[in-house]
Structures are given as C-alpha cells and as structure tokens.
C-alpha cells in the first residue's frame, strides 16, 4: 500500500444518514491509498483540521435542486477564509445524494464546484465512465463533475445501492492518488 503524509477532509450534511454513508465509502477508498482522512459533519466542523488539510471533499443532500439550507450556511460561514484566500490551492471535490434518479443533482455539484472555485481550490471531478445503469454498476448515474448517488426512502443499510457505494470507494481512491501527485 502506498504511504503518504497527505491529509483529506470530508465534510458533509446528512440528516438521515445516506450522504454520510457515501462519505464513509469515499473515506475508505482514500485511506486504502494511504491518505489520512478526517470525516466530519457540518454540525461538528473542525475548522483547524479543514484549514490544515491538503484537500477537502464537500457533500450535501439535494434539497429542491440545491444544496441543503444548513450546508449553505456552512458555505457562507467560510467567508473569512474566502477573503484571506486560506483554502487557495487545496484540492476540492464534491458529492451529492438525492431521492430521485436525477433529482437535479447536477445543480448541487455545480454549486459546490463554484464555491470551491471562489475559494481558488483545485477541482477534481469523477473521470470514470459509466459501466451501465443497474444498481450494481459503477457510476450508474453517469456523473463527471463529481459523485452522484441516489437513495430510496429506506434505511441506510439498504440504500444507496452497492454500485453507488463502489463508485464512492473508487472516487476516494482516485482523489487520494491525485492528491499524492501534487507537490507541496
Ligand atoms: C427539503 C427536502 C428537499 C428535497 N429535494 C429533493 C430534490 O430536489 N430532488 C431529489 O431527488 N430528492 C430530494 N429530496 C430527497 C433528499 O435528497 C434525500 O432524502 C437525501 O439525499 C437523503 O440524504 P440524507 O440521508 O443524507 O439526509 C429532498 C428532501 C428534503 C427533506
């Protein structure tokens, strides 16, 4: 297994746990590649950890085609860091979970992407071609700006499906490998 001193934070909002489950699979993938991962919900943000991380992955459920209200509050609360360019040059990526197959998730990834660009971060997408559209397939929702997953109205041990969780794992591995290619 490759080793690295790179650190990655994953910060998410997840009232019902589905987005959190996806976050945990991204973390597993990144850890597998030797990156140190800090997983945190927006209710428990560790600002000093975010400030020190080499990369930050942002995750929100899709609410009416947008990030959730609490996630937007988190975004706005980074304004001092935006002003001081504190996060400029850090790697960034985004993910969103929704109930609908589309659910207008693209809009959420675009919002997170613009937020990261406003901060001067280095955006990483999901360069994985869809392997099909069944629930066991990698990138079944064929997203490239970031990771999209979909959950039914059911417990987190049932949904999102296997393919989405495998895609989250792949995304974490990819981000970790990309992070390790960047020189400090
Ligand atoms: C206020 C609200 C708005 C929502 N809007 C959408 C939506 O626009 N599209 C969609 O597919 N699902 C929508 N959903 C479903 C959520 O995306 C889904 O419940 C969420 O991703 C579950 O994530 P969590 O378990 O991490 O909280 C909405 C849910 C709520 C509560």
């Amino acid at each position: 297994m490759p080793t690295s001193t790179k650190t990655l934070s994953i910060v998410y909002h997840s009232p019902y746990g589905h987005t959190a489950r996806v976050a945990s699979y991204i973390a597993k993938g990144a850890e597998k590649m030797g990156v140190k991962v800090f997983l945190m919900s927006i209710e428990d943000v560790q600002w000093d950890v975010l400030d020190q991380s080499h990369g930050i992955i942002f995750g929100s459920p899709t609410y009416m085609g947008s990030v959730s209200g609490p996630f937007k509050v988190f975004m706005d609360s980074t304004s001092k860091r935006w002003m001081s360019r504190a996060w400029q040059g850090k790697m960034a990526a985004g993910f969103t979970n929704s109930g609908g197959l589309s659910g207008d998730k693209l809009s959420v990834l675009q919002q997170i992407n613009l937020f990261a660009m406003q901060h001067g971060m280095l955006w990483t997408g999901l360069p994985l071609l869809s392997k099909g559209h069944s629930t066991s397939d990698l990138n079944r929702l064929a997203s490239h700006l970031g990771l999209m997953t979909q959950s039914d109205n059911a417990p987190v041990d049932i949904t999102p499906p296997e393919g989405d969780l495998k895609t989250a794992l792949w995304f974490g591995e990819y981000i970790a490998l990309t992070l390790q290619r960047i020189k400090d």
Side-chain angles (χ1 to χ4, degrees):
M1 185 203 298
T3 55
S4 163
T5 55
K6 296 285 175 150
T7 53
L8 182 67
S9 286
I10 305 174
V11 58
Y12 60 86
H13 181 224
S14 183
Y16 296 101
H18 300 90
T19 311
R21 185 135 200 255
V22 174
S24 75
Y25 274 77
I26 298 172
K28 264 189 219 175
E31 278 165 353
K32 194 173 149 196
M33 293 300 153
V35 161
K36 171 85 180 148
V37 178
F38 299 91
L39 199 55
M40 65 189 87
S41 76
I42 54 162
E43 289 89 2
D44 191 22
V45 180
Q46 296 165 261
W47 290 105
D48 53 334
V49 173
L50 293 184
D51 291 343
Q52 284 160 30
S53 293
H54 293 96
I56 307 175
I57 308 180
F58 304 97
S60 170
T62 299
Y63 278 10
M64 298 183 216
S66 175
V67 293
S68 65
F71 195 83
K72 182 65 166 81
V73 170
F74 159 75
M75 287 163 71
D76 290 356
S77 63
T78 67
S79 63
K80 286 203 175 84
R81 287 164 172 84
W82 173 78
M83 282 291 286
S84 66
R85 314 315 292 153
W87 289 357
Q88 188 157 318
K90 291 185 191 298
M91 180 176 279
F95 63 103
T96 186
N97 183 81
S98 82
L101 274 179
S102 160
D104 294 321
K105 286 189 278 293
L106 179 60
S107 170
V108 175
L109 292 181
Q110 287 171 331
Q111 272 182 293
I112 296 174
N113 169 237
L114 274 178
F115 166 74
M117 293 297 97
Q118 285 255 346
H119 272 283
M121 301 175 85
L122 306 174
W123 187 257
T124 317
L126 175 59
L128 172 66
L129 289 179
S130 176
K131 305 293 181 203
H133 306 295
S134 81
T135 52
S136 59
D137 285 324
L138 276 175
N139 200 8
R140 71 179 169 119
L141 299 169
S143 173
H144 298 289
L145 187 58
L147 172 65
M148 292 181 183
T149 58
Q150 179 269 333
S151 60
D152 297 328
N153 188 13
V156 295
D157 52 335
I158 297 171
T159 184
E162 180 203 347
D164 290 7
L165 299 177
K166 277 193 310 191
T167 310
L169 197 74
W170 193 99
F171 194 43
E173 289 177 12
Y174 170 73
I175 289 167
L177 291 175
T178 306
L179 198 54
Q180 286 164 336
R181 290 171 63 186
I182 296 175
K183 289 197 173 153
D184 289 325

